[in-house]
Amino acid sequence: DSGVTQTPKHLITATGQRVTLRCSPRSGDLSVYWYQQSLDQGLQFLIQYYNGEERAKGNILERFSAQQFPDLHSELNLSSLELGDSALYFCASSVYGGRDETQYFGPGTRLLVL
Amino acid sequence: GENVEQHPSTLSVQEGDSAVIKCTYSDSASNYFPWYKQELGKRPQLIIDIRSNVGEKKDQRIAVTLNKTAKHFSLHITETQPEDSAVYFCARNTGTYKYIFGTGTRLKVLA
């Protein structure tokens, strides 16, 4: 157990809908990262937050948005969902979000868009 | 380019043999290279990492080597066991805080 928690574990929804994925980092970690992993694919970096502020952005679609709250938990919002958004979404955390810090991953949220 | 090339994509070895997975990159700003193991449907778990100020790091049956000049790093697993079967991902950091992951190697250890 990495200490990173994610809810829900599974999510089934329809095209066009909007969902919110939640992540709580390890105790003491200030930085949160979001990744998308499609079937048999690698991990695609979406976005990073540090202490409430956006720090780095990957290939995150405009339909997706995220934020980190004062209690350091983070939410990833996915809207106007398409079939291709079906994937595993992982959250990771690290202490300061530094360039050479280890990232610890949560158990993931499996999203299925029908 | 930005990507990390990881080879091979699949690897089958007999139990007790060694497995080697190699990753190459081109961004000279990278100075941190973690390796993650992911079992089916589970989270990626860090198994070993290396920073650019060292050329090799070992932890029991697992070792990582880094050649910063040639821009490649490799994962070595010795005395493989069936529980080593999983997908292994290499990664590198960038100059802008994000991590780039390789495409993964599916390792199968045959008993």
Side-chain angles (χ1 to χ4, degrees):
Chain A
D1 184 1
S2 65
V4 180
T5 61
Q6 289 186 249
T7 56
K9 284 186 180 175
H10 303 277
L11 202 47
I12 301 175
T13 188
T15 54
Q17 295 299 304
R18 173 189 169 96
V19 297
T20 297
L21 313 183
R22 183 187 168 105
C23 166
S24 291
R26 295 184 319 158
S27 177
D29 284 0
L30 299 175
S31 191
V32 168
Y33 311 76
W34 285 98
Y35 291 88
Q36 179 192 57
Q37 186 175 39
S38 302
L39 191 64
D40 285 340
Q41 296 283 314
L43 291 146
Q44 300 295 318
F45 170 77
L46 295 178
I47 198 162
Q48 179 200 5
Y49 281 84
Y50 169 72
N51 206 21
E53 299 289 325
E54 182 184 305
R55 174 171 271 184
K57 217 167 186 174
N59 298 326
I60 186 168
L61 299 172
E62 284 192 14
R63 300 183 286 109
F64 296 2
S65 65
Q67 56 184 321
Q68 186 179 27
F69 295 86
D71 67 353
L72 301 176
H73 91 271
S74 178
E75 292 181 358
L76 178 67
N77 299 296
L78 314 176
S79 61
S80 302
L81 284 167
E82 302 175 0
L83 295 177
D85 297 327
S86 296
L88 261 172
Y89 290 85
F90 287 103
C91 165
S93 74
S94 68
V95 180
Y96 297 115
R99 290 184 59 236
D100 63 349
E101 277 189 40
T102 300
Q103 295 180 24
Y104 295 93
F105 282 77
T109 292
R110 185 176 294 279
L111 173 67
L112 182 59
V113 182
L114 300 175
Chain B
E2 189 175 74
N3 291 339
V4 178
E5 289 197 16
Q6 183 171 345
H7 297 284
S9 56
T10 59
L11 180 60
S12 291
V13 299
Q14 290 292 331
E15 183 178 358
D17 286 351
S18 295
V20 181
I21 303 169
K22 184 176 177 179
C23 288
T24 59
Y25 64 99
S26 56
D27 183 357
S28 56
S30 295
N31 64 354
Y32 175 65
F33 307 89
W35 284 89
Y36 287 85
K37 174 183 179 182
Q38 186 178 29
E39 295 176 7
L40 191 62
K42 302 277 183 71
R43 64 182 176 93
Q45 288 185 275
L46 180 77
I47 54 171
I48 197 166
D49 56 13
I50 192 166
R51 289 173 172 80
S52 61
N53 55 343
V54 297
E56 183 173 357
K57 183 176 177 181
K58 195 171 180 181
D59 182 3
Q60 298 182 3
R61 297 186 297 109
I62 294 173
V64 57
T65 57
L66 170 65
N67 184 327
K68 224 180 168 223
T69 304
K71 296 189 176 65
H72 63 73
F73 55 111
S74 299
L75 177 71
H76 305 255
I77 307 174
T78 58
E79 300 170 28
T80 53
Q81 301 166 4
E83 50 265 39
D84 294 329
S85 296
V87 179
Y88 292 80
F89 291 97
C90 64
R92 66 170 183 89
N93 65 348
T94 68
T96 57
Y97 294 103
K98 66 179 184 180
Y99 280 42
I100 305 295
F101 281 78
T103 49
T105 296
R106 188 175 301 275
L107 173 65
K108 191 178 288 186
V109 179
L110 306 169

